[in-house]
Amino acid sequence: MKSSHDNFHSNFPLVFFILLAFAWASAAVAQTHDQFLRCLSLHSNDSSSFSKLIYSRNNPSYSSVLESSIQNLRFDTEATPKPLVIITPFHASHIQATILCSKRHGLQIRTRSGGHDFEGLSYVSQVPFVLVDLVNLRSIDVDVESRVAWVQSGATLGELYYRINEKTRTLAFPAGIFSTIGVGGLLSGGGYGVFFRKYGLAADNVIDAHVIDANGRILDRKFMGEDLFWAIRGGGGGSFGIVLDWKLNLVPVPPTVTVFSVTKTLEQNSTQLIHQWQNIAHRLPKDVFFTVVVSRANETIQATFSGMFLGRVDELISLMETSFPELGLVKQDCTETSWIQGLFPNNTLESLLNRTAVDKTSFKTKSDYVKEPIPESVFAEIWPRYFNEEEGRYGSIVLIPYGGKMEEIPETQTPFPHRADNMYKIIYSIGLEEENLDFQRYLSWIRRFYDDMAPYVSKSPREAYVNYRDLDLGVNNRSGNTSYAEASIWGLKYFKNNFRRLVRVKTLVDPQNFFKHEQSIPSLSSW
């Protein structure tokens, strides 16, 4: 029988080569790091000031800068891959130098505006990478007379809304309801909010942009061409370049709107009300945004029916008495306010300038689209079964009605294809603030729930929203040479037939597939 001493000697060559390989890899990373920094210095017009915007891993501020916009704590662990360098550019030239030097030294780029990518793809990569954090590129110029705004990609929705409201109470922008979401990421995937049934998506209201392509060129709408301009408005972030800023169409809103909220439990017929809601909400006038949030509350399941009406309370009550009397909406359930205070009723306007999310969680989100009414038995049997599980305490389901303006816009107008044939969207979420919990249990919960809903939602493909990034749908291979057939497994779910055009645009503007991640649009030239 061999002794431990003999075993050590017999395994010594293997151990030696493993240690040697690790040392070589570490040395190669260090060399790439040093060469990359030298390259940036050589290709910057203001190398002394640029150096203050670069954070290497040995910089005392590296961790705080990295963590500042990590919104999903699943990707804020010791095991999460970290960028070799973080760049926080002040000027387009800083981004141009970063692209050039990343290409030269074989580094990928991740671009972060608000850090809300649900799978962390804006700040995590499995290969050596550089993080371009757009936190310093967030200027906003609002022109009330022309009803437009130029907004840099690093601005948050809270900052955009605040600056619009500074100038006028009767213009707004149709985007999301979370103030820390970055403008760049939102617009890249489409973006929707309480006004989308009236005015379409956020991306539908983009009228120009400046994008830096894989060759470092700065292109506006005229020089990028209509194909690339089409692709960046809903084709998903991280595929076509880095968008510096966006010209937005601002939309008129009344000075007074009405927000409302009614909560019903199982004992108060919430199941029947949800079943009725799905036949009503998408048919309501465009001025009504009317959602349902389903969650567990103590020992029961509750449904909160809430939304915003672009008008006064008396008109809303009259409309709901005619359209949905079973809900029993009364004036006491309603508040007249401004559009911006209606979006953020529990916040001061100044708090919208705070870029840091207050309650960060570890979470997972999935999405579905519904074309036909779901049977009441699903709400009565499947949903309670999941919410009554232990993990269900941390889960929620949100129903977002379509209809209105979304029925009028062709599904090919932008890459976002989920338009006229949808009654509503389902958002499945599970999130925990507690640390050190085994999140696999909760991932299993939401995946099982999602699987059980398959018979009742869209099919061939089962559609999903690209801004609710979901790597369960499929990923590109790490070589970067993903074929159309491989990428279409997830691409058709996000983009339907628009995926083919996205691939053609990608092949034209980034043939070497420089901008890539686990669900980036593939380039045919890179095969």
Side-chain angles (χ1 to χ4, degrees):
M1 183 175 181
K2 289 187 177 182
S3 67
S4 60
H5 183 270
D6 292 332
N7 284 332
F8 173 77
H9 279 282
S10 64
N11 291 325
F12 178 76
L14 176 61
V15 173
F16 174 77
F17 282 116
I18 290 174
L19 292 175
L20 187 61
F22 180 77
W24 282 339
S26 298
V29 170
Q31 184 179 30
T32 299
H33 170 270
D34 293 342
Q35 292 173 340
F36 176 74
L37 293 183
R38 282 198 295 273
C39 181
L40 287 180
S41 178
L42 287 172
H43 292 89
S44 172
N45 296 327
D46 54 346
S47 57
S48 59
S49 61
F50 191 12
S51 65
K52 298 175 185 177
L53 308 175
I54 301 170
Y55 299 86
S56 299
R57 290 175 180 174
N58 59 0
N59 188 305
S61 299
Y62 174 90
S63 293
S64 61
V65 173
L66 176 62
E67 294 170 5
S68 62
S69 294
I70 293 179
Q71 309 295 351
N72 191 341
L73 298 181
R74 287 173 58 207
F75 308 109
D76 189 14
T77 69
E78 289 186 8
T80 303
K82 308 295 192 297
L84 195 65
V85 175
I86 303 171
I87 312 290
T88 57
F90 261 115
H91 306 294
S93 62
H94 299 153
I95 299 177
Q96 291 171 306
T98 302
I99 291 173
L100 185 152
C101 295
S102 295
K103 292 175 71 174
R104 184 165 295 177
H105 296 287
L107 296 169
Q108 282 194 12
I109 283 181
R110 293 289 185 268
T111 306
R112 181 169 75 178
S113 53
H116 281 267
D117 187 291
F118 284 4
E119 297 282 11
L121 299 188
S122 62
Y123 51 87
V124 176
S125 175
Q126 302 301 318
V127 299
F129 73 106
V130 173
L131 171 60
V132 176
D133 191 321
L134 301 177
V135 62
N136 292 322
L137 293 172
R138 61 179 198 267
S139 72
I140 299 168
D141 181 18
V142 177
D143 184 339
V144 174
E145 185 176 350
S146 299
R147 293 187 174 184
V148 298
W150 274 102
V151 185
Q152 289 187 310
S153 284
T156 64
L157 292 184
E159 291 170 328
L160 172 60
Y161 294 161
Y162 184 90
R163 297 307 173 196
I164 294 173
N165 190 67
E166 270 188 327
K167 298 287 187 72
T168 174
R169 286 172 56 92
T170 56
L171 291 177
F173 185 67
I177 61 172
F178 293 100
S179 62
T180 57
I181 290 176
V183 167
L186 176 102
L187 294 172
S188 295
Y192 73 95
V194 298
F195 305 129
F196 90 119
R197 298 187 68 252
K198 176 83 169 180
Y199 295 115
L201 302 176
D204 295 331
N205 289 276
V206 173
I207 51 182
D208 204 346
H210 291 102
V211 62
I212 304 181
D213 71 3
N215 295 314
R217 300 176 300 174
I218 302 176
L219 308 171
D220 63 6
R221 180 175 182 174
K222 177 181 178 182
F223 285 98
M224 77 176 78
E226 287 303 303
D227 277 343
L228 181 53
F229 184 64
W230 174 84
I232 63 174
R233 294 174 298 135
S239 287
F240 301 99
I242 297 177
V243 181
L244 283 172
D245 54 15
W246 312 76
K247 187 178 184 181
L248 309 180
N249 174 57
L250 303 182
V251 299
V253 291
T256 301
V257 304
T258 303
V259 293
F260 59 95
S261 181
V262 177
T263 297
K264 301 289 186 179
T265 64
L266 284 178
E267 296 74 20
Q268 296 169 317
N269 296 322
S270 61
T271 299
Q272 292 81 0
L273 292 171
I274 295 171
H275 186 250
Q276 290 175 288
W277 172 94
Q278 66 179 338
N279 289 296
I280 296 169
H282 68 289
R283 294 192 174 102
L284 290 171
K286 297 177 183 178
D287 290 333
V288 183
F289 178 74
F290 182 19
T291 69
V292 184
V293 179
V294 183
S295 60
R296 182 165 149 186
N298 298 319
E299 299 305 315
T300 188
I301 299 168
Q302 67 179 22
T304 299
F305 299 80
S306 62
M308 179 182 289
F309 172 62
L310 301 181
R312 305 302 292 257
V313 64
D314 289 340
E315 187 179 354
L316 173 64
I317 294 297
S318 176
L319 173 65
M320 295 300 282
E321 285 177 347
T322 301
S323 304
F324 198 3
E326 296 84 356
L327 183 63
L329 185 73
V330 295
K331 277 191 176 183
Q332 288 75 13
D333 303 318
C334 307
T335 302
E336 290 189 336
T337 184
S338 65
W339 72 269
I340 191 169
Q341 204 66 68
L343 285 181
F344 307 102
N346 301 316
N347 300 82
T348 64
L349 293 183
E350 287 69 26
S351 70
L352 300 183
L353 300 177
N354 181 4
R355 296 178 60 90
T356 304
V358 177
D359 299 317
K360 294 185 180 182
T361 62
S362 296
F363 68 87
K364 173 70 176 179
T365 299
K366 301 176 80 66
S367 60
D368 261 325
Y369 286 87
V370 177
K371 315 284 186 179
E372 299 176 354
I374 293 176
E376 186 175 329
S377 60
V378 174
F379 305 125
E381 298 168 13
I382 296 180
W383 289 23
R385 184 170 78 240
Y386 278 99
F387 280 110
N388 284 327
E389 293 181 15
E390 173 62 21
E391 294 81 3
R393 294 191 300 126
Y394 302 94
S396 66
I397 301 293
V398 183
L399 311 181
I400 305 292
Y402 270 56
K405 182 70 172 179
M406 295 298 285
E407 290 189 346
E408 302 170 8
I409 301 174
E411 67 176 38
T412 57
Q413 178 163 305
T414 70
F416 182 98
H418 318 291
R419 303 286 187 172
D421 59 343
N422 293 289
M423 296 175 66
Y424 59 97
K425 174 167 60 185
I426 303 178
I427 308 168
Y428 313 82
S429 292
I430 190 161
L432 299 87
E433 295 180 16
E434 290 88 341
E435 296 182 0
N436 303 319
L437 286 177
D438 178 14
F439 200 74
Q440 289 302 316
R441 289 171 48 202
Y442 302 92
L443 288 176
S444 174
W445 180 88
I446 195 171
R447 287 166 177 161
R448 287 186 290 111
F449 200 152
Y450 178 81
D451 289 345
D452 278 353
M453 289 298 294
Y456 313 107
V457 296
S458 60
K459 301 172 182 66
S460 300
R462 184 175 182 179
E463 299 172 33
Y465 175 36
V466 69
N467 267 357
Y468 294 161
R469 187 82 69 181
D470 183 3
L471 296 187
D472 293 348
L473 303 180
V475 296
N476 296 332
N477 62 57
R478 288 193 181 183
S479 70
N481 299 324
T482 304
S483 69
Y484 178 86
E486 290 172 315
S488 65
I489 293 171
W490 56 264
L492 293 176
K493 293 179 173 68
Y494 289 141
F495 305 113
K496 299 172 66 176
N497 291 332
N498 290 337
F499 183 61
R500 186 173 294 276
R501 182 180 177 188
L502 285 169
V503 173
R504 289 201 301 267
V505 175
K506 171 72 171 184
T507 303
L508 288 171
V509 303
D510 185 12
Q512 300 307 310
N513 201 25
F514 173 66
F515 290 106
K516 57 177 177 270
H517 55 69
E518 285 81 349
Q519 285 186 345
S520 59
I521 305 299
S523 169
L524 300 183
S525 300
S526 66
W527 294 359

